[in-house]
Amino acid sequence: MTKPVPTPIPARVRAWGWFMDRFRSMHIATMSPSDIAHNQTMQHVPAPVRRVLFGARHSGTTVEDLAVPSSNGHTIPVRIYRPRRSGDSSTGLPPESLPVVLYLHGGGWTLFGGLDMCDWLPSRVSARLGAVVVAVDYRLAPEHPFPAAVDDCYTALEWVSANDVELGIDPNRLAVIGDSAGGNLSAVLALLARDRSGPPIAAQGLIYPVTDTTLDDESMLENSHKPVLHRDDMAAFFDYYLGSDPSSPERSDTRVAPLRAASFAGLPPALVQVGEHDVLRDQGIAYARGFQQSETYVELITYPGAPHGWVTYPLIMKATAHRATDDLVKFLSRFLSAPSTGP
């Protein structure tokens, strides 16, 4: 059977990839330690430039920054997005309990920390879904390697579920979503919540998720130097997060590689979104197939012509970013519109 001809990557996206490849500090594989420190928050970049690169907050939301206490003494910054009521500019909650979505950002567990970096997607989901969205600024490698990010995200999940009255949310209508490493963490939280009898998760939205630590599947090799994530970058992210030994037990831990879970039965319904030209494409597809084989509800969408990163660079990848967000909101609305988690 003849392999389908790939859909071309749009010219603007290819131009952005070309630009990124010209600067050492634009790819984790070539960043210096000071580059990594700068890129964890991007506070050295003026706010208007950050908004152009990474998208602006939706005007239909209000925000509140809080700190979640953890069991080991540090606090976890979170940003709470709430939809505005029609004709109301106040920051008060609507009187009814709303669904809630926990958002976990991408960046290879190493980059894109700081709550100002991830306003675009969570604010849109909040405004368009009519939900409270909680974005988590979890600890980052290399200073805080695995399992720090997992521990922080699970703590935030438990905090959201336990503070339903204060947040004005219905804890039975709780979803987790994330992109790339955030998709990985979302999938991991769903597994942990199932196995620990933790907070009930009604749905999970996995946007080009990392689901395994392999570097040699077909999409890794054929897309190894396409925008905006290279195969060498994935190798570097794994090294910073897990250590440089490729044979270490962490590489096969299901809290890093959820694809290796013994079973996908009993997990919440999942939407898996992948890009045709992404190194992570086949990992996402394999994860969705695992759900299908376990007869667990899953939707898989592949976006033609798309590389990695439409959430990170929504203005550069505008067409895919808006279509994919529409698909995500549609999926979440199906499972969060009522307490039932069934389709």
Side-chain angles (χ1 to χ4, degrees):
M1 188 165 115
T2 305
K3 188 174 180 179
V5 177
T7 304
I9 298 174
R12 177 164 55 178
V13 180
R14 285 188 281 110
W16 177 245
W18 178 90
F19 177 81
M20 288 185 65
D21 292 348
R22 296 301 177 275
F23 294 90
R24 179 201 70 208
S25 62
M26 298 289 276
H27 284 283
I28 187 71
T30 52
M31 286 183 195
S32 67
S34 61
D35 293 331
I36 293 173
H38 273 88
N39 290 339
Q40 286 188 332
T41 64
M42 301 293 284
Q43 291 302 307
H44 63 292
V45 178
V49 177
R50 289 203 304 271
R51 287 193 290 270
V52 169
L53 286 177
F54 307 116
R57 183 186 306 162
H58 196 289
S59 60
T61 59
T62 62
V63 300
E64 179 184 11
D65 290 344
L66 298 175
V68 173
S70 72
S71 60
N72 60 8
H74 74 283
T75 58
I76 307 162
V78 297
R79 176 164 291 174
I80 315 296
Y81 300 83
R82 298 185 176 97
R84 293 185 189 274
R85 287 172 287 182
S86 178
D88 183 3
S89 61
S90 74
T91 60
L93 279 170
E96 73 275 12
S97 295
L98 297 177
V100 60
V101 178
L102 191 73
Y103 170 67
L104 310 175
H105 69 81
W109 312 278
T110 307
L111 303 176
F112 299 132
L115 295 168
D116 291 333
M117 289 284 292
C118 63
D119 272 335
W120 189 86
L121 181 66
S123 65
R124 269 152 187 75
V125 170
S126 176
R128 297 177 59 189
L129 185 64
V132 174
V133 178
V134 180
V136 183
D137 186 11
Y138 54 86
R139 288 172 294 168
L140 298 175
E143 183 179 359
H144 302 289
F146 171 80
V150 174
D151 292 343
D152 283 0
C153 292
Y154 196 81
T155 296
L157 175 71
E158 292 184 312
W159 177 84
V160 167
S161 182
N163 288 273
D164 55 311
V165 175
E166 294 84 350
L167 293 172
I169 56 99
D170 180 352
N172 293 309
R173 293 189 287 162
L174 185 159
V176 291
I177 65 171
D179 54 293
S180 196
N184 168 272
L185 292 165
S186 297
V188 168
L189 289 195
L191 284 166
L192 291 177
R194 180 197 66 179
D195 296 343
R196 298 175 179 177
S197 299
I201 297 174
Q204 51 183 319
L206 311 180
I207 306 165
Y208 40 79
V210 183
T211 66
D212 203 356
T213 52
T214 181
L215 292 167
D216 296 314
D217 62 28
E218 183 177 347
S219 66
M220 274 281 180
L221 299 175
E222 73 179 29
N223 300 314
S224 61
H225 286 92
K226 291 183 181 177
V228 296
L229 179 67
H230 294 175
R231 180 176 179 271
D232 288 347
D233 293 327
M234 282 308 307
F237 282 135
F238 287 138
D239 286 350
Y240 284 124
Y241 187 46
L242 304 171
S244 58
D245 181 3
S247 64
S248 68
E250 286 81 6
R251 300 272 173 149
S252 58
D253 193 310
T254 55
R255 292 173 297 165
V256 175
L259 183 60
R260 306 190 189 200
S263 172
F264 302 107
L267 289 174
L271 171 66
V272 181
Q273 298 174 292
V274 299
E276 180 183 15
H277 297 285
D278 189 358
V279 291
L280 298 178
R281 180 195 67 210
D282 290 352
Q283 294 190 22
I285 292 172
Y287 204 63
R289 286 176 177 163
F291 274 61
Q292 292 167 346
Q293 292 166 2
S294 296
E295 299 184 345
T296 302
Y297 187 88
V298 65
E299 297 178 20
L300 171 66
I301 304 177
T302 301
Y303 296 91
H308 193 83
W310 62 77
V311 171
T312 307
Y313 305 109
L315 301 185
I316 295 168
M317 305 186 193
K318 188 173 182 179
T320 301
H322 285 269
R323 179 188 161 194
T325 304
D326 289 345
D327 292 337
L328 176 62
V329 170
K330 181 180 178 181
F331 169 81
L332 293 174
S333 66
R334 182 178 184 187
F335 292 98
L336 299 184
S337 59
S340 171
T341 61

